[in-house]
Amino acid sequence: SAEAIFIFSQNRRSKLNFSFSLCTIFAGIWLTGIGFIYSSLSAPIALIWSKYYCWLGIIFVTPSVYYLSIAWKEGAFKKKKKIIYFNFLTAFVIYLVCIGSPYIVSGLWPYPWGFYPRAGIGEGFFIIWFYTLMLLSFKNFIISYRKEESQTRKKQIKLITLAFVFGFLGSLDFLANYSAALYTFGSVSV
């Protein structure tokens, strides 16, 4: 995304800029993927968009947000580097399972507004991982806020946390993966 390129180009050595750029790229893939799925005229095409594109964004936005929550605090990356790498490796494995099997996405639901991914038997494990990392991310932002002395940085942390709270509401769209025919408004919150 243009936003990611702009932020990253402001300081290419900044872990904060890099992690924020990753968040915007993967969130963008998730949301444009949903658009491609909805606009697909056939189930096979929608399934390709879902498994290979949309779920790439869904899976990798999670460790990206966690990385951002660590990068926000100066010096924290060195302490949490292995955890960050482990989470990206976990995301890669989940993505391979997603594209190579029906365990994450087992098919599609034909809703009135378009096709939507059908949860496979392994999606529950993904959702546990997703919510655990998101909660740990919120915890990291709160800790950073409490320890921050600069009022400007405190305000930034408060705003980024609020933005992720709204984005987090988009995860309620997972209900539609389990046959809950509720129109998915998650993209509105992001």
Side-chain angles (χ1 to χ4, degrees):
S1 76
E3 178 183 71
I5 293 168
F6 175 76
I7 295 296
F8 181 66
S9 67
Q10 298 304 303
N11 184 351
R12 292 185 175 136
R13 294 179 184 214
S14 167
K15 291 183 182 359
L16 185 59
N17 289 25
F18 180 67
S19 60
F20 182 81
S21 296
L22 286 177
C23 288
T24 60
I25 289 167
F26 289 120
I29 290 171
W30 178 354
L31 297 175
T32 57
I34 291 294
F36 291 141
I37 294 167
Y38 284 170
S39 62
S40 294
L41 299 177
S42 70
I45 298 297
L47 188 60
I48 289 169
W49 279 119
S50 176
K51 290 182 96 168
Y52 289 91
Y53 186 76
C54 182
W55 274 83
L56 173 71
I58 293 169
I59 293 166
F60 278 92
V61 77
T62 311
S64 299
V65 171
Y66 181 78
Y67 179 19
L68 177 65
S69 75
I70 295 297
W72 201 270
K73 181 112 177 86
E74 288 293 324
F77 179 79
K78 289 180 183 176
K79 294 177 188 173
K80 303 283 186 170
K81 179 170 50 174
K82 289 181 182 176
I83 295 171
I84 292 167
Y85 291 149
F86 176 78
N87 285 320
F88 276 103
L89 179 62
T90 301
F92 182 70
V93 170
I94 293 169
Y95 181 66
L96 290 178
V97 170
C98 180
I99 64 174
S101 74
Y103 293 114
I104 304 293
V105 177
S106 66
L108 298 166
W109 294 107
Y111 290 128
W113 60 84
F115 295 108
Y116 204 75
R118 180 187 304 236
I121 60 171
E123 188 177 319
F125 295 111
F126 165 76
I127 289 175
I128 291 168
W129 177 73
F130 176 91
Y131 283 111
T132 299
L133 271 187
M134 293 305 285
L135 291 173
L136 289 171
S137 299
F138 288 127
K139 177 185 167 198
N140 291 336
F141 283 125
I142 291 166
I143 290 169
S144 292
Y145 179 82
R146 289 180 178 163
K147 291 184 177 181
E148 184 60 55
E149 295 177 10
S150 163
Q151 290 303 312
T152 301
R153 292 277 291 177
K154 280 185 103 124
K155 186 174 183 178
Q156 290 171 340
I157 295 168
K158 189 179 351 179
L159 291 174
I160 196 79
T161 304
L162 184 63
F164 280 117
V165 166
F166 281 109
F168 188 67
L169 293 175
S171 69
L172 294 175
D173 285 359
F174 287 132
L175 292 173
N177 293 24
Y178 292 92
S179 80
L182 305 169
Y183 185 77
T184 56
F185 287 103
S187 58
V188 172
S189 66
V190 178

